[in-house]
Amino acid sequence: MSKKAILIVVIAIFLILLFVFGFDVFKNHMIEKKLAEYKTPPVSVTAITSKKDTWQQQIQAVGPGRDRTLLRYMI
């Protein structure tokens, strides 16, 4: 190979490596920039007043209720 061809190949390899590693540096810079701008959103808090209520002692099942033993434990 001539010196001119070797120089072209070396420059091409250099440009490819510069692009690959340069893009990685650029990407990391943009990630750092966006993370520095990030602010946590405000926390929304909701509250209700509680009241005392009575519970049902049993519930009505829906369906034919073929397995009575299972229904006995569910109630």
Side-chain angles (χ1 to χ4, degrees):
M1 287 176 66
S2 66
K3 289 185 179 186
K4 186 176 180 182
I6 292 174
L7 182 63
I8 292 173
V9 170
V10 168
I11 290 174
I13 291 173
F14 175 74
L15 289 176
I16 291 171
L17 290 175
L18 181 66
F19 176 75
V20 169
F21 291 110
F23 180 75
D24 190 48
V25 169
F26 173 73
K27 181 182 72 166
N28 289 336
H29 170 71
M30 293 305 288
I31 290 172
E32 288 176 11
K33 182 180 173 185
K34 287 297 178 184
L35 286 177
E37 294 174 359
Y38 178 74
K39 290 186 270 184
T40 56
V43 178
S44 62
V45 176
T46 58
I48 59 171
T49 56
S50 62
K51 64 178 182 174
K52 194 171 190 174
D53 201 2
T54 57
W55 285 80
Q56 292 181 357
Q57 293 299 321
Q58 68 182 24
I59 58 173
Q60 298 296 324
V62 177
R66 293 183 184 135
D67 189 4
R68 298 281 180 199
T69 59
L70 181 60
L71 287 176
R72 183 175 54 215
Y73 292 115
M74 289 175 57
I75 296 178

